[in-house]
Amino acid sequence: MATIVFIQPDGSRETHAGMPGQSIMDCAVDNGVPGIRAQCGGGCTCSTCHGFVGAAWFDRVGAPVDDEADILEFVPGRRFTSRLTCQIVIREDLDGIVIHVPAPE
Ligand code: FES
């Protein structure tokens, strides 16, 4: 199990447990985290699971894969630390990872 810390644009935060092998998006949706809508269900086609990986975690998570990078190019407000949370698989070494939820468009 790994804990995921979701921080909203207003600074409020919630922490949820995720199981290794599921995605951070799955954890967010299972727990009703606002702002992670995941309309394509993890198909890497909608970008509504966009999040900013906490800077201290980005190297450990790694850069987007090719298809993901293509989608992120069109995401408003994209940053260097942007990822589609459906493409981040929870691992034990990501315990405590911080994901900043983008402000609504
Ligand atoms: Fe659609 Fe992640 S859930 S791209």
Side-chain angles (χ1 to χ4, degrees), residues 25 27 44:
M25 176 278 284
C27 178
C44 198

Side-chain angles (χ1 to χ4, degrees), residues 31 33 55 63 66:
N31 291 286
V33 174
D66 288 347

Side-chain angles (χ1 to χ4, degrees), residues 25 38-47 49 84 86:
M25 176 278 284
Q39 291 174 323
C40 78
C44 198
T45 60
C46 73
S47 80
C49 66
L84 298 179
C86 68

Side-chain angles (χ1 to χ4, degrees), residues 19-24 61 83 85-91 93-94:
M19 296 302 294
Q22 75 173 161
S23 71
I24 287 179
V61 171
R83 290 291 310 264
T85 58
C86 68
Q87 301 302 302
I88 304 174
V89 177
I90 296 171
R91 310 183 309 253
D93 70 319
L94 295 182

Side-chain angles (χ1 to χ4, degrees), residues 4-8 12-16 24 27-28 33 99 101:
I4 318 296
V5 180
F6 296 94
I7 301 179
Q8 294 293 326
S12 63
R13 62 177 59 207
E14 54 190 291
T15 301
H16 298 292
I24 287 179
C27 178
V33 174
I99 300 292
V101 178

